[in-house]
Amino acid sequence: MSDMGSDAPFRQRPRKDQAIVAFDFDGTLTIRDSFTEFLRWRAGPGGWALGLVRMAPAVATYARDRDRGRIKAASVREFLKGVDRATLEADAGRFADRIWDRFMRPDALRVWNAWGDKGAHRVIVTASPETTVAPFARRLGAEALLGTPLVFDADNRVTGAFASPNCRGEEKVRRLRAVYGEDMRLAAAYGDTSGDREMLAIADEPGFRVFTGRPRSASA
């Protein structure tokens, strides 16, 4: 059982004449990685430090293979395994409310809202888990959210696995085409890392690292 059910409100189909615009989340709409910040916040200083010590073998492996999906799965197993869905969703909501004002890029939000004013179908495409990004997406008024879905067991607890490959690179394009069709074309796309380049390549207006703004309270 994946976390696909948690983002059901975002599964809206665009009209045939509606422009589809894709935004990466971490580093594009936000000033840094949201999942790492969420895990750190949820674990607290002591739990975070202890978890990092326990993850030392996984970190060493990552230094050799640079497999982002594997290191992310290791962090889920260390910090979230066994957490029930309702608790995780509630924690994600509290985190989003707490960090929003010092986390979201003001220039990215202006472009996001401008596309909304034009009537575009705005989809967030992120490597972070859909469950943890969902509260941000709801607050943004996103029409769709595509991320790396967590797996929950029969008791609705996090297993420590993902239901699909890490949503970056070619996987972002695969996920978009699975939802919108093989011949889909983005009116615009925005990203900030090499993992966004394939998505930007199918956009009429690609925006790579165009957002640099920081909220006034970012250092608070």
Side-chain angles (χ1 to χ4, degrees):
M1 182 188 304
S2 76
D3 73 348
M4 297 297 283
S6 65
D7 70 322
F10 305 110
R11 299 296 190 204
Q12 300 180 27
R13 297 293 299 179
R15 301 184 308 271
K16 288 186 177 180
D17 61 342
Q18 190 174 18
I20 303 172
V21 181
F23 286 76
D24 169 56
F25 188 66
D26 299 307
T28 299
L29 286 165
T30 73
I31 60 174
R32 55 183 174 271
D33 183 78
S34 65
F35 190 48
T36 300
E37 289 300 307
F38 172 71
L39 294 179
R40 187 199 305 268
W41 169 80
R42 190 176 185 279
W48 178 249
L50 180 59
L52 291 182
V53 171
R54 291 174 175 169
M55 282 186 62
V59 173
T61 299
Y62 175 72
R64 296 192 299 271
D65 62 22
R66 312 304 292 180
D67 188 326
R68 293 172 183 262
R70 183 177 296 176
I71 190 67
K72 186 182 297 180
S75 66
V76 169
R77 288 192 298 271
E78 176 60 38
F79 293 103
L80 296 179
K81 186 175 181 179
V83 177
D84 69 89
R85 186 197 295 267
T87 298
L88 182 59
E89 290 179 348
D91 287 347
R94 284 192 290 271
F95 172 73
D97 289 342
R98 181 184 182 90
I99 204 171
W100 180 276
D101 289 339
R102 60 180 187 272
F103 204 56
M104 308 302 292
R105 292 192 185 278
D107 50 351
L109 294 181
R110 285 194 292 270
V111 172
W112 173 274
N113 291 330
W115 277 111
D117 291 341
K118 294 177 183 177
H121 176 97
R122 298 162 300 176
V123 52
I124 295 173
V125 190
T126 176
S128 287
E130 291 174 349
T131 303
T132 60
V133 177
F136 292 95
R138 292 191 185 97
R139 186 161 174 172
L140 286 164
E143 282 70 41
L145 168 63
L146 302 174
T148 307
L150 295 167
V151 174
F152 293 84
D153 63 20
D155 295 319
N156 255 340
R157 295 185 179 277
V158 178
T159 68
F162 289 112
S164 72
N166 194 31
C167 190
R168 74 184 307 272
E170 287 290 349
E171 182 65 12
K172 289 198 172 190
V173 175
R174 189 194 71 78
R175 294 288 304 281
L176 284 164
R177 287 176 172 163
V179 173
Y180 302 111
E182 287 296 323
D183 60 346
M184 68 90 62
R185 182 78 185 175
L186 296 171
Y190 303 93
D192 72 308
T193 71
S194 59
D196 298 311
R197 292 189 183 277
E198 289 85 349
M199 181 174 74
L200 297 179
I202 62 169
D204 294 333
E205 297 181 22
F208 184 68
R209 294 182 180 175
V210 296
F211 305 130
T212 59
R214 295 179 65 84
R216 292 179 180 178
S217 55
S219 60

